[in-house]
Amino acid sequence: RLDAVESVPCCVPVDHARVMAAIEHGFAHHGPHRPSMLHDVLAGRPTEIDAIAGEIIRIGASCGKSTPILETMTRLVRMIAR
């Protein structure tokens, strides 16, 4: 749900068409890819989820913006990484 991107702290403008075009390009041109966090999970290493997503969640909270989708994703990554 890209409409959730509009809840980015401090009212950062988002061009949904441009975001979707970038996503489509990535799927079409980057082939099979495993994100670095998946490599970490598979190798039993700690992930960077708190350093990356946790900071966005904290910034959102400081601006009075909720980030429920990111909070859920963060919890899921933590759960998988256990």
Side-chain angles (χ1 to χ4, degrees):
R1 286 193 30 179
L2 290 178
D3 57 342
V5 175
E6 289 181 3
S7 70
V8 172
C10 307
C11 304
V12 176
V14 175
D15 179 342
H16 289 278
R18 188 172 178 186
V19 171
M20 289 304 297
I23 290 170
E24 293 298 325
H25 179 272
F27 283 131
H29 298 288
H30 292 270
H33 172 72
R34 285 186 171 177
S36 63
M37 273 194 235
L38 178 56
H39 283 280
D40 291 339
V41 168
L42 294 173
R45 294 186 298 257
T47 69
E48 299 173 310
I49 193 68
D50 290 312
I52 297 170
E55 185 62 17
I56 295 168
I57 293 167
R58 284 186 289 280
I59 291 169
S62 73
C63 295
K65 302 287 185 175
S66 65
T67 54
I69 295 170
L70 187 58
E71 290 172 34
T72 300
M73 281 183 18
T74 301
R75 285 189 210 106
L76 290 170
V77 170
R78 286 181 191 147
M79 181 184 73
I80 291 167
R82 284 188 202 161

